Amino acid sequence: MLDWLFRSASDRTESAAASVDEAPAAAVPAGSSVAAPDVGAVLSERYRLDGLLGRGGAASVYRGWDLLLEQAVAVKVLRPDAASLSTSGFNDLRREAVAAMQLSHPLIARVFNYERHDGLEFLVMELVPGKNLHDLRRERAERRLSVDETVRIARDMLEALAYAHDAGVVHNDIKPRNVLMDPRGALKVCDFGLAELVSRKDRPSDRITGTPGYLSPERILTKPSDGRSDLYSLGATLYELAAGRPPFGKAPDEALRGHLLEPVPASPHLPLALDRVLRRAMAKNPDERFQSARQMAEALDALDRGRALARAAGPASPSRVEAEPVAQSEERPEVTAAEPERARAPEAQAPEAPPGMAEVDVGKVRFDEREYEVAPFHLDRLPVTNDDYAAYVKATGAMAPAWWPGSRPPKDKGRHPVVGVTLEDAERYAAWRGKRLPTTLEWAAAARGAEGRRYPWGETCDQSACNCPLKANDTAPVDAHPGSGTPEGVLDLFGNVWEWTDVDERVAPAEEGYRYVLGASYQHRCSAPNGALPRTLVSRHGEYRYLGFRCAWDRRMGR
């Protein structure tokens, strides 16, 4: 079935969307009375064709001269049989050109006109000097652009797309060849030949339009699309610029299959922060991508702030930020090696755990048929909520989860556990709070207790004690199930959402780059065979709508 889909998709991919320098010229079909124009021809008694700039399977692009306005233009002439590619023919192309002609922005190459001449259809566009990003990348010795260049290009493209999307226009063919850079480094997004009014996005289509290497899954499946499809294609474009190759290869079938089914491949040339932005932009489900060009731009702007946060010497917890500095007394005795007793500070009181945490001191915990010692520690009584995480986003400029509509969660989800965060996100949040993530064995110790109970609340399954898939289809507030509490008062360990854990080398996963998550979720049963602890392995870079976390603390962190 899938093979048929990919063959069908490849057969139906419209070459008219390809840039003019990607394919050899297509022959005019036998019996056609219309031929491609020659250099020197004048179309509509106004546009003189002065030279051929490029030729592709669906169109030829000429350097032209507007005799009326006396200015240089680019003229893109569709091949004579282009109408046969679509049942609605040139009317579709005309409507799409009208959409593109609405745009006037310094980062977008203008589309001036769409006309007919002796059976030919052609676009008149702004002539932009310079090179496209595909050629620019291939000229580099490394065959790729630097991360800084890629991010700068991304910001300009996002500004252009934000403007187009605000005007109700989707580009539908974002790729390196459709972005030009002039000799001064100024960027222009061009070729809105497939641009589409958002108001028409629900119109069904029986053909794929666009370039396979950069198509979003919904466009491959000819489903309705919107500006988030442009963001997907932009993610694929930026990946190629920085990594030096398209994310899913050059072969159309290979690319289509990858966009539909494969995760975005890792690249050693992509730093983790940029990798995360591109993975979110290229999520298979449009609802899990950035929801606007501006939201993606905000994520790029947060990269530098995130790097600064990672370089911080210690956690910027609220208590530490707001603490008064300790005065240095001028009469303080000098510390010398000869007087160690005088230099020693008075015995400090044991540090107190942050509020909202419970102490867990069980001695040993059973895991995979073995027992392990677990030192005393403290664990958050509740998972981190969306409101908690929103405070962190506001304070640090960190990237908000992709499913939030902006920098704040939906109003009715504030007390729900935060989900859609990577392991690194969780670790950074914990450090900001002056805490850490619990290890796998610590989390198990909190759930099982010293007596090794089957469920956090006892020995029998109690559907009222957790948010499980037998009764739920979404997350619940973290304190909605008071019956889930352990004897120490830790709530919501089973059901609702899986929770990230830090590695304990004694039970570390064999698969590199993976971590154990524990407790099941609203989508997964929290009862495991033979009373085993509900757990699974996930990629540390994953952003899952059923995976959250809570924090741990031990007394060494307070010293």
Side-chain angles (χ1 to χ4, degrees):
M1 177 63 182
L2 282 176
D3 288 340
W4 172 86
L5 169 64
F6 295 126
R7 286 198 304 271
S8 177
S10 179
D11 292 343
R12 288 181 287 132
T13 300
E14 182 181 331
S15 58
S19 182
V20 293
D21 53 352
E22 288 184 352
V28 176
S32 172
S33 60
V34 181
D38 296 324
V39 172
V42 177
L43 304 183
S44 298
E45 300 182 353
R46 176 175 175 178
Y47 303 105
R48 188 181 68 222
L49 307 182
D50 289 342
L52 183 66
L53 294 175
R55 178 176 292 166
S60 298
V61 177
Y62 299 82
R63 180 187 296 107
W65 183 259
D66 185 337
L67 298 172
L68 178 61
L69 299 180
E70 296 187 346
Q71 65 179 12
V73 293
V75 181
K76 184 172 186 176
V77 182
L78 299 180
R79 80 182 190 213
D81 68 332
S84 65
L85 295 174
S86 170
T87 55
S88 52
F90 292 128
N91 289 332
D92 261 1
L93 298 173
R94 180 179 291 275
R95 280 193 293 266
E96 291 161 5
V98 168
M101 285 189 289
Q102 297 179 14
L103 305 178
S104 178
H105 189 279
L107 294 174
I108 296 176
R110 294 290 308 277
V111 176
F112 297 128
N113 212 344
Y114 189 96
E115 294 197 19
R116 290 186 179 184
H117 173 86
D118 290 343
L120 294 172
E121 301 278 330
F122 63 94
L123 283 169
V124 181
M125 305 172 293
E126 178 182 359
L127 181 66
V128 181
K131 298 177 179 178
N132 64 55
L133 295 184
H134 174 270
D135 292 341
L136 192 66
R137 175 184 71 79
R138 290 179 61 84
E139 287 180 354
R140 301 293 174 86
E142 305 87 355
R143 296 296 179 102
R144 55 184 170 83
L145 305 186
S146 70
V147 170
D148 288 342
E149 285 179 292
T150 302
V151 171
R152 180 176 65 81
I153 288 168
R155 287 193 173 106
D156 283 349
M157 292 183 69
L158 286 165
E159 180 181 340
L161 289 176
Y163 168 82
H165 295 168
D166 285 348
V169 178
V170 181
H171 186 287
N172 280 336
D173 198 24
I174 294 294
K175 59 184 178 182
R177 293 181 187 272
N178 280 345
V179 184
L180 300 176
M181 187 174 289
D182 70 19
R184 299 171 301 167
L187 178 146
K188 290 271 188 180
V189 180
C190 67
D191 207 347
F192 272 77
L194 286 180
E196 192 168 19
L197 289 169
V198 173
S199 60
R200 297 172 56 235
K201 68 182 181 182
D202 57 348
R203 251 182 42 168
S205 174
D206 62 351
R207 60 188 171 94
I208 300 174
T209 56
T211 306
Y214 314 93
L215 277 174
S216 66
E218 61 270 24
R219 288 187 57 77
I220 294 173
L221 298 174
T222 65
K223 292 182 177 180
S225 61
D226 53 29
R228 295 172 297 181
S229 269
D230 279 351
L231 300 185
Y232 184 99
S233 299
L234 175 58
T237 294
L238 299 174
Y239 182 101
E240 177 176 334
L241 297 181
R245 60 180 178 84
F248 299 113
K250 297 179 180 179
D253 283 357
E254 181 183 351
L256 294 174
R257 183 182 295 273
H259 288 304
L260 282 177
L261 297 176
E262 302 296 332
V264 179
S267 169
H269 306 301
L270 292 176
L272 179 60
L274 179 59
D275 179 83
R276 290 180 55 222
V277 171
L278 299 188
R279 286 178 186 277
R280 181 170 297 180
M282 295 181 67
K284 307 300 184 189
N285 183 347
D287 292 338
E288 296 177 1
R289 296 175 203 154
F290 298 104
Q291 298 302 291
S292 69
R294 288 187 178 85
Q295 189 184 28
M296 186 171 173
E298 290 171 1
L300 286 172
D301 290 340
L303 289 183
D304 290 335
R305 294 196 297 270
R307 285 196 289 266
L309 180 65
R311 290 193 299 267
S317 67
S319 60
R320 296 190 180 190
V321 171
E322 297 169 6
E324 291 292 330
V326 178
Q328 297 282 339
S329 171
E330 294 181 0
E331 299 180 359
R332 182 177 179 181
E334 184 179 355
V335 176
T336 66
E339 297 180 317
E341 294 302 321
R342 290 183 57 194
R344 183 179 298 165
E347 190 68 28
Q349 293 183 347
E352 293 187 3
M357 305 193 84
E359 185 172 16
V360 181
D361 185 1
V362 302
K364 294 182 178 181
V365 64
R366 194 166 188 80
F367 193 91
D368 282 347
E369 305 304 320
R370 293 184 60 185
E371 285 193 338
Y372 300 90
E373 292 281 351
V374 177
F377 69 101
H378 285 73
L379 188 67
D380 283 348
R381 295 182 184 275
L382 296 171
V384 174
T385 67
N386 286 311
D387 281 345
D388 295 332
Y389 203 80
Y392 161 69
V393 169
K394 182 177 180 180
T396 66
M399 189 160 50
W403 65 273
W404 288 8
S407 59
R408 293 283 308 175
K411 291 182 179 179
D412 62 340
K413 298 287 188 181
R415 291 292 295 163
H416 289 234
V418 66
V419 293
V421 294
T422 66
L423 176 67
E424 183 187 25
D425 293 330
E427 290 172 337
R428 287 186 173 181
Y429 173 91
W432 178 71
R433 287 294 187 191
K435 303 177 185 180
R436 59 176 174 80
L437 294 186
T439 68
T440 302
L441 289 180
E442 285 176 336
W443 199 101
R448 292 300 196 222
E451 64 274 24
R453 55 187 176 262
R454 182 168 184 174
Y455 297 94
W457 54 84
E459 292 302 317
T460 59
C461 182
D462 184 351
Q463 297 300 326
S464 66
C466 68
N467 191 46
C468 68
L470 295 180
K471 64 175 183 176
N473 56 15
D474 198 358
T475 57
V478 295
D479 51 1
H481 298 87
S484 68
T486 69
E488 296 80 15
V490 180
L491 298 177
D492 220 26
L493 282 167
F494 275 26
N496 217 7
V497 296
W498 296 94
E499 296 187 8
W500 285 111
T501 65
D502 199 1
V503 167
D504 187 309
E505 293 301 333
R506 295 173 290 177
V507 292
E511 295 88 343
E512 186 177 353
Y514 282 76
R515 292 292 176 88
Y516 282 125
V517 297
L518 298 127
S521 77
Y522 67 92
Q523 291 186 1
H524 308 88
R525 295 179 66 91
C526 61
S527 58
N530 302 318
L533 192 71
R535 76 170 193 251
T536 190
L537 281 174
V538 300
S539 167
R540 59 174 293 142
H541 304 301
E543 300 173 343
Y544 304 97
R545 288 291 294 270
Y546 45 76
L547 175 56
F549 69 100
R550 72 180 74 214
C551 301
W553 181 90
D554 60 64
R555 297 199 182 279
R556 293 170 298 175
M557 302 183 71
R559 295 188 188 278

